[in-house]
Amino acid sequence: MTDRSLEPSPSAAGAPAVPAPLDWTLRPARSDDALWMAELRAVVMRPDLERLGRYDSHRVRRRFLDAFEARHTRVVQVGGEPVGLFAVRPEPRERWFEHLYLRSDVQGRGLGAQLMTHVLRRDDDARPFRLNVLQGSAARRLYERHGFVVEREDAVDVWMVRH
């Protein structure tokens, strides 16, 4: 596996270089992953939570740790190094896409879209996917591009579904 992150993709003369796609792998999460995952969540969510007046340094980590289930979580790796995570929690009538967090240095490179495609393409389950995203979060556009639609919303959260 090669991390080509420093190689610019071909571009027209004078056009800004676009980073090359990342080679990534997944591995099952372990219980000892929980602390770094909670920290990544806090870092990734901080700008949106602050914008909404909801950031609490302790609470953002505690909410993750209290609900963490390694069996439903996958670690995203680039070059064998953890750069993110996602979790899908099955319920009797639906599946919750609970977490998708990537380090800032790998964001904006198509990795989130690749992960969503990976999860959704391998799907042979008729139950809908559900998720919630913070109001104004850029992640909402990713989810909409993958077929999620707004089910309901309030001043802080947007709940989305994909049938």
Side-chain angles (χ1 to χ4, degrees):
M1 177 181 324
T2 312
D3 181 359
R4 299 172 303 211
S5 61
L6 299 178
E7 297 177 20
S9 63
S11 60
V18 176
L22 297 169
D23 291 326
W24 55 274
T25 59
L26 298 175
R27 72 161 169 83
R30 302 179 304 255
S31 59
D32 65 344
D33 288 316
L35 289 177
W36 73 260
M37 289 177 168
E39 184 62 27
L40 178 61
R41 178 181 191 264
V43 168
V44 169
M45 292 186 70
R46 185 174 186 154
D48 285 328
L49 288 169
E50 285 181 338
R51 179 180 42 76
L52 294 167
R54 307 280 298 201
Y55 184 75
D56 177 311
S57 178
H58 176 74
R59 184 171 185 240
V60 69
R61 291 166 176 85
R62 187 82 262 148
R63 285 189 69 182
F64 180 86
L65 293 171
D66 288 348
F68 176 69
E69 291 189 54
R71 67 185 173 164
H72 300 307
T73 308
R74 298 292 175 265
V75 175
V76 182
Q77 300 180 123
V78 172
E81 179 182 349
V83 299
L85 67 120
F86 74 86
V88 177
R89 179 177 46 89
E91 292 291 331
R93 292 192 171 140
E94 60 207 0
R95 288 147 313 147
W96 281 91
F97 204 102
E98 290 191 304
H99 304 290
L100 175 54
Y101 306 115
L102 298 170
R103 281 189 342 210
S104 62
D105 62 317
V106 298
Q107 291 178 14
R109 312 225 358 231
L111 183 53
Q114 291 174 36
L115 290 167
M116 290 294 296
T117 299
H118 174 79
V119 171
L120 299 172
R121 181 182 300 148
R122 297 174 45 123
D123 184 40
D124 60 357
D125 189 323
R127 292 175 294 172
F129 275 103
R130 287 196 157 70
L131 59 81
N132 74 301
V133 62
L134 292 171
Q135 285 284 3
S137 172
R140 179 174 170 173
R141 289 188 305 278
L142 170 68
Y143 303 137
E144 289 172 336
R145 285 193 315 266
H146 284 85
F148 285 84
V149 295
V150 174
E151 196 168 39
R152 70 184 196 282
E153 56 188 300
D154 63 23
V156 176
D157 291 300
V158 179
W159 286 268
M160 304 180 82
V161 64
R162 181 183 191 271
H163 293 281

